[in-house]
Amino acid sequence: MARKLLFTVLIIIFLAIFIGGAAMAGDPAAGDPAGNATGKAADISAVAAGHPTLDEVAAQVGKNKVGINMTWMLLTGFLVFFMQAGFALVETGFTRAKNAAHTMTMNLMVFLVGALGFYLVGFPLMFGNFGAVSALGGPPILSRGLSIGGWNILGNSGWFLSGTAYDVTVIALFLFQMVFMDTAATIPTGAMAERVKFSAVAASTFFISMLLYPIFGNWVWGGGWLAQIGAKLGLGHGAVDFAGSSVVHMIGGAAALAGAVVIGPRLGKYNKDGAPNVLPGHDIPMAILGTIILFFGWFGFNPGSTLAATDLRVAVVAVNTMMAGAAGGFAAMIYHWLRYGKPDPSMIANGTLAGLVAITAPSAFVSPVGSVIIGLIAGLLVVEAVFFIDRKLKVDDPVGAISVHFVNGAWGIIALGLFADGTYGEGLNGVTGAVAGLFHGGGYGQLAAQLITVAAAALWGVGVSYLFFKAYHALAGLRVKAEDELAGLDIPEMGVFAYPEFPLNADGYGVMGHEGGTQRVHGAITSARPHPLPDHLPDS
């Protein structure tokens, strides 16, 4: 039997060599293996095929440029969409197994609801007076909005992507911007995880996608009043936020902060004396994988915000993104290691994300040296912010979303006003010259504009979100019943277990993984039962 098998294999190898050799013996000139002869005048659309006029050649060059830029915008938009998987893995890994199906599904649902909300209302409010997408060569279709005394407040065109907005350039912009909005809408799910109603997340996603995010987004990216303070008040180039440290991350983080305050901490998180208990996540490897996916997606987030592959600054943006993320994770690792004796995987993950969030605004305007400094500071900042919010403010944020996105989003906006080096951004927001920060001869004007942007994002984001969550909680309730929270949200809220064959103890962890041992979390040794069950069950 073995001999027959060996003989058969040898015959097959011989035939493959014979047939391949015969094929290679053919005339190579019949094809174009180097590609030198592929692409000729006949491939240019022309009235006289193969004999294009100068105008027809120029038109083809223009279409090729727009095609390259549109393809870049769409592909990077797809990368940003894939970040949804990263958020789902990070949040689920950092929370308990009894809530895994609920947490995962929230992250999917946010995209579904957010896409509809942004399509119906958010996009026209945000980009209705955006003008033309210059990199795509389209006309200024989005050119109507609401202004007060010359200050732009809201957009008012592009409704339902219909009429004149049924246009390839507008639709490409919509796809790219919709996935950015989805990132902002996803951030609060982590801060309210393990005790929020699924229905409440759906409602809050409509609120964020239709009002909270697009209105502030218009002020910065849609030609609104924050973008105008440069030209009108002489404050640098006005609000400058290349890819969303304020628009995406501060606004999402502000909603997370407001939601976490209104909904209150998880049961067992704080003792009667206010001392916090550690409620560790059930799958740290899952969270680390999610962080890697988010890092990968950020190469769409920041470089894609050039809106043009023909803008060669994209190389600088990509490297700055990479280095700030690496520096953030490194700084958080070393700082926590030195202070608490262990590097802590969760802090390394959040430090990496903090560096990425911080570089999102200045990624196009700083040098690689500046990006490393920004990332290092972000990594230190996120560690201290996590402990301050948890221990001093008594705000329960299971995944550190507020520290990563709100705090470091603010740092990223301020960092641009300090480190922008004056080599990019000529004419941005209608102001002559490139964007320069305080450390590169730009004076205090750009820094002042950035500080105003931070203040506006904090006031608008936290204030309006707090009012929404308070009103919704009074009318419908944000929080699940206490007994459902203790049991885990998978069955009460979703009707299924994430891990039907995975036994859990009373605290919602895998029995085999937690009983009979100890673990160190954020520098403190904790027992196998990481928190006591509460003495009483509060009202939902």
Side-chain angles (χ1 to χ4, degrees):
M1 182 66 183
R3 290 182 178 180
K4 289 184 178 180
L5 179 60
L6 178 61
F7 180 75
T8 303
V9 170
L10 291 174
I11 291 295
I12 292 172
I13 293 174
F14 174 78
L15 289 174
I17 294 173
F18 177 78
I19 294 171
M24 289 188 290
D27 183 7
D32 184 19
N36 297 327
T38 299
K40 300 179 180 179
D43 296 308
I44 296 175
S45 298
V47 174
H51 301 282
T53 65
L54 182 60
D55 286 343
E56 288 171 333
V57 171
Q60 185 68 59
V61 170
K63 285 188 175 182
N64 288 350
K65 178 182 177 180
V66 168
I68 291 168
N69 290 342
M70 184 175 289
T71 300
W72 171 249
M73 187 185 295
L74 293 175
L75 286 175
T76 52
F78 303 156
L79 273 177
V80 177
F81 166 73
F82 189 55
M83 292 173 73
Q84 195 67 42
F87 279 116
L89 293 171
V90 168
E91 292 180 14
T92 304
F94 280 159
T95 52
R96 288 168 289 182
K98 63 182 180 179
N99 302 308
H102 184 266
T103 306
M104 270 284 185
T105 311
M106 278 198 301
N107 279 269
L108 172 60
M109 180 269 288
V110 163
F111 181 86
L112 308 179
V113 172
L116 292 173
F118 197 63
Y119 168 75
L120 293 171
V121 175
F123 180 74
L125 291 182
M126 186 168 177
F127 289 103
N129 54 350
F130 181 76
V133 186
S134 58
L136 301 184
I141 293 169
L142 302 172
S143 57
R144 188 171 64 250
L146 172 65
S147 298
I148 300 176
W151 293 92
N152 298 328
I153 306 299
L154 284 177
N156 186 28
S157 64
W159 295 94
F160 309 118
L161 300 178
S162 61
T164 56
Y166 186 20
D167 174 89
V168 292
T169 63
V170 174
I171 287 174
L173 179 67
F174 169 80
L175 183 145
F176 187 75
Q177 295 298 339
M178 186 268 138
V179 292
F180 272 56
M181 179 285 305
D182 178 60
T183 297
T186 297
I187 293 168
T189 62
M192 296 190 290
E194 301 202 281
R195 74 271 203 205
V196 67
K197 290 181 179 178
F198 192 78
S199 57
V201 177
S204 65
T205 301
F206 272 125
F207 159 71
I208 293 169
S209 64
M210 298 171 78
L211 294 173
L212 182 75
Y213 175 86
I215 291 176
F216 185 81
N218 176 267
W219 298 346
V220 178
W221 286 347
W225 69 271
L226 282 171
Q228 293 177 293
I229 61 177
K232 288 182 174 290
L233 302 181
L235 298 178
H237 284 68
V240 176
D241 184 352
F242 186 68
S245 288
S246 68
V247 177
V248 177
H249 297 285
M250 276 200 75
I251 292 300
L257 174 58
V261 169
V262 173
I263 200 171
R266 290 167 291 174
L267 297 177
K269 173 61 182 176
Y270 295 102
N271 298 325
K272 290 180 179 180
D273 63 357
N277 292 299
V278 176
L279 309 181
H282 82 285
D283 197 335
I284 296 302
M286 178 189 290
I288 298 299
L289 177 60
T291 302
I292 295 169
I293 290 174
L294 286 171
F295 205 143
F296 176 64
W298 237 285
F299 288 116
F301 213 93
N302 290 357
S305 292
T306 59
L307 304 183
T310 53
D311 183 347
L312 301 186
R313 187 70 174 189
V314 69
V316 175
V317 178
V319 169
N320 285 345
T321 300
M322 178 175 65
M323 296 312 301
F330 177 80
M333 177 183 69
I334 296 300
Y335 181 64
H336 196 281
W337 204 339
L338 292 175
R339 185 167 180 181
Y340 297 106
K342 297 292 182 181
D344 192 322
S346 65
M347 281 299 184
I348 297 173
N350 276 340
T352 301
L353 298 178
L356 293 167
V357 168
I359 200 60
T360 296
S363 56
F365 304 101
V366 302
S367 70
V369 173
S371 73
V372 170
I373 296 171
I374 292 168
L376 289 172
I377 294 173
L380 301 177
L381 192 58
V382 75
V383 176
E384 287 302 316
V386 165
F387 290 134
F388 179 79
I389 290 168
D390 185 52
R391 297 173 179 175
K392 300 297 184 182
L393 299 184
K394 308 298 183 186
V395 174
D396 183 16
D397 179 0
V399 305
I402 301 165
S403 303
V404 169
H405 299 281
F406 183 72
V407 174
N408 279 284
W411 162 234
I413 293 295
I414 295 169
L416 188 152
L418 298 173
F419 293 97
D421 63 5
T423 60
Y424 187 74
E426 173 68 40
L428 184 64
N429 290 334
V431 178
T432 303
V435 179
L438 180 64
F439 297 157
H440 292 274
Y444 288 95
Q446 190 61 56
L447 179 59
Q450 300 305 101
L451 291 172
I452 292 171
T453 304
V454 169
L459 291 172
W460 171 260
V462 177
V464 177
S465 296
Y466 183 81
L467 293 175
F468 168 80
F469 284 121
K470 286 291 285 187
Y472 187 90
H473 191 47
L475 294 172
L478 280 174
R479 189 164 185 146
V480 299
K481 297 177 182 179
E483 54 267 32
D484 291 344
E485 182 180 342
L486 289 174
L489 304 186
D490 284 0
I491 291 296
E493 285 277 297
M494 312 309 301
V496 298
F497 283 118
Y499 310 111
E501 298 179 352
F502 183 51
L504 304 179
N505 64 19
D507 295 325
Y509 301 96
V511 173
M512 297 302 294
H514 263 269
E515 288 193 348
T518 61
Q519 63 177 10
R520 182 184 295 269
V521 182
H522 299 327
I525 296 291
T526 62
S527 66
R529 290 182 62 84
H531 68 87
L533 293 178
D535 298 328
H536 64 283
L537 302 182
D539 294 333
S540 62

